[in-house]
Amino acid sequence: MTRAGRFFGSAVGAAAVVAALTLVRLAVAGYAPLTEDEAYYRLWALHPAFGYLDHPPMVAWWMAGGMAVAGDTALGVRLVSVLSVMVGSLALWRSALIVAGDAATAARAVIWFNATLLVGIGSVVATPDQPATLFWGLALWAVLEKVRSGDGRWWLAVGLFAGLGLQSKYSTLFLGAGLVLWLVVSAERRRWLADPWLWAGGLLAVLLFAPVIAWNAAHDWASFEKQFGRAAASEWTLAYLPELLGGQIGLLGPLMVPFVVAGLWLAGRRRTASGGSAEADGAGEAGRSLLVLSSIPFALYLLVHALHDRVQANWPAPLYPAFALIAAAAAARTGDLSGRTGRMLSALRAWVAPVGIATGLVAFLLLMHPSGFGLAGLDPARRYRGWDAAAAEIEAKRVEVGAAWIATGAYGPTAMLSWELKDVPVVQLDERLRYAAAPPPSADLLARPGLLVLRERAGETERLTARFRFVEPLGTVTRRADNATVARYALFRVSDPVGDPLAP
């Protein structure tokens, strides 16, 4: 092994890579434009609560913490999300040591995890997926520590992290299903079901999730209905399946995918060879089965969902720590594969991290300065650009016509205008449950003239302007990025509301 190979195969080398990438991500996080969803979650963070319409509250709490440190800035919004990858990498390092038993494989797992495009780009876009991914990975680490030590008290840590994961995203429920699957397939582990520490950990997870349940109960189960309603299929189609598979190959990294496949095949072969006993080779073999079996329920759900609706690219993020560890373990065992396959993967493994990290850095360059490379059409943030200029034009019109507040008809413009015009009241007229945690706008404010900003959509203009007796069209504002039109917004001066303009 070369000197560089020995360095990057050590804890120090892996830590150096993660530290360097974290600095780059922090720089990008402070510069790249906010997405509409991030600006929307920022509104949650201004009024922390135990529940919101779209997701559990953890993303808002993380943003509130970051903004307390770095201010109401893009870096503040994203700070904790970026730093969470470091914590997750540390847990992955320890998990890999337990499963694989050697530092080189642990270092490779950490570096490969950070080399995936989903983690690289996703870490600088604050969404509920970052806390969900962190707590999913921490829960798996705690299970592995229980397997290694035999100490049942680790189930309390599992319950803690699972509960925090449930406060991050409802998809963490699939982790619980995966852990149950892992327990019941083994006669040895089925005996653990009698361990009171396991049930105490489960109770802790439920107690941590209880405030989210209480919020839903107080709001007609709106968040549960919104998210779990997505699972229902109105019709079946294969149209979205290639998008899911192709997108995940790109985000995981085309060079890493063969190692994930090989790792799954090796895990299945070893289980068959051991007669189905996951304890045949001790903690390492039980750990490998944990990585696979705990991922199956969520992976199956994503596949089924893709048969009737689009799976957003970021949804599988909680599975990526397990994927990285499975792939790294396979890379250390290429000799167990057939001749041609083993030789191909042996030659390929040295390129996984450099190509993945380089791809992420190119994506960052496009994110920060797309026009400078003549590749503006490939800008991953193009749909979110131009809000600074558009908001300035909208604000100038508001002042010109004497409007006291801005009204909108969708959460995206509401969030972005609130972000750009922090001192101006911005109120979405409908879907008020999105803002249940915030103090409602005063009746005195709503009685004053407002500036209604609407993206041209069928039926929306007539529906929302009907809430006012006086409506004066003021033309349109065009949001542009790199001299190309991104969106157009119609402006209206509105006054004299018909009843409560925020009524459902």
Side-chain angles (χ1 to χ4, degrees), residues 45-395:
L46 296 176
H47 306 283
F50 282 113
Y52 302 93
L53 174 61
D54 301 80
H55 293 290
M58 189 63 69
V59 65
W61 297 351
W62 278 26
M63 284 187 177
M67 291 160 63
V69 174
D72 191 3
T73 63
L75 180 59
V77 166
R78 294 161 166 161
L79 178 62
V80 180
S81 290
V82 174
L83 297 180
S84 72
V85 179
M86 288 200 309
V87 180
S89 296
L90 179 61
L92 181 57
W93 163 266
R94 177 60 183 165
S95 297
L97 277 181
I98 295 173
V99 172
D102 69 278
T105 299
R108 181 179 287 120
V110 169
I111 293 174
W112 282 16
F113 173 66
N114 280 267
T116 62
L117 192 58
L118 181 59
V119 173
I121 294 294
S123 64
V124 301
V125 181
T127 70
D129 297 286
Q130 284 93 6
T133 301
L134 173 64
F135 294 125
W136 189 301
L138 287 172
L140 291 182
W141 160 67
V143 174
L144 289 169
E145 292 287 3
K146 193 279 170 202
V147 172
R148 180 196 61 82
S149 66
D151 188 343
R153 288 173 295 182
W154 277 104
W155 287 118
L156 293 177
V158 176
L160 170 65
F161 297 132
L164 294 175
L166 287 169
Q167 290 219 8
S168 304
K169 205 168 183 182
Y170 298 130
S171 56
T172 305
L173 289 168
F174 290 104
L175 172 62
L179 292 179
V180 171
L181 175 64
W182 176 72
L183 286 169
V184 300
V185 298
S186 161
E188 174 69 22
R189 291 193 295 269
R190 282 197 295 273
R191 289 196 285 270
W192 295 357
L193 294 173
D195 186 347
W197 288 112
L198 185 150
W199 293 97
L203 178 60
L204 178 59
V206 172
L207 290 175
L208 287 170
F209 190 46
V212 180
I213 299 174
W215 185 94
N216 272 273
H219 294 85
D220 297 322
W221 308 102
S223 184
F224 286 171
E225 182 179 348
K226 178 180 177 64
Q227 293 298 338
F228 298 140
R230 292 179 171 182
S234 57
E235 59 179 307
W236 298 96
T237 175
L238 295 175
Y240 302 111
L241 192 57
E243 179 183 315
L244 168 64
L245 298 178
Q248 292 309 307
I249 288 172
L251 291 171
L252 189 61
L255 300 187
M256 193 186 301
V257 170
F259 291 94
V260 176
V261 174
L264 293 172
W265 183 81
L266 287 170
R269 191 179 73 171
R270 290 188 65 142
R271 179 172 175 79
T272 301
S274 66
S277 172
E279 284 73 30
D281 292 330
E285 191 61 32
R288 280 185 283 272
S289 68
L290 172 68
L291 297 176
V292 175
L293 294 175
S294 66
S295 302
I296 285 177
F298 191 32
L300 285 178
Y301 165 74
L302 293 172
L303 287 172
V304 172
H305 191 96
L307 294 176
H308 67 86
D309 200 357
R310 174 170 284 109
V311 173
Q312 298 299 322
N314 53 299
W315 289 2
L319 300 178
Y320 273 51
F323 286 165
L325 209 168
I326 290 169
R333 298 168 55 201
T334 55
D336 294 347
L337 300 168
S338 62
R340 178 179 295 181
T341 302
R343 288 192 299 271
M344 181 195 74
L345 293 183
S346 295
L348 195 62
R349 64 187 171 195
W351 294 97
V352 173
V355 171
I357 291 172
T359 303
L361 293 176
V362 170
F364 283 154
L365 290 175
L366 288 173
L367 192 62
M368 297 180 73
H369 193 44
S371 59
F373 301 91
L375 298 173
L378 299 178
D379 178 12
R382 185 175 185 177
R383 59 185 287 202
Y384 305 114
R385 296 192 189 277
W387 270 111
D388 50 353
E393 190 174 349
I394 290 170
E395 171 63 2

Side-chain angles (χ1 to χ4, degrees), residues 32-58:
L34 289 191
T35 66
E36 291 180 355
D37 282 354
E38 286 179 295
Y40 174 47
Y41 302 144
R42 168 190 167 268
L43 294 178
W44 296 0
L46 296 176
H47 306 283
F50 282 113
Y52 302 93
L53 174 61
D54 301 80
H55 293 290
M58 189 63 69

Side-chain angles (χ1 to χ4, degrees), residues 438-465:
S442 68
D444 289 342
L445 176 69
L446 299 179
R448 299 171 65 185
L451 180 68
L452 179 59
V453 180
L454 295 178
R455 187 165 182 175
E456 298 170 349
R457 289 192 177 97
E460 185 174 81
T461 300
E462 294 78 8
R463 178 172 57 84
L464 295 179
T465 55

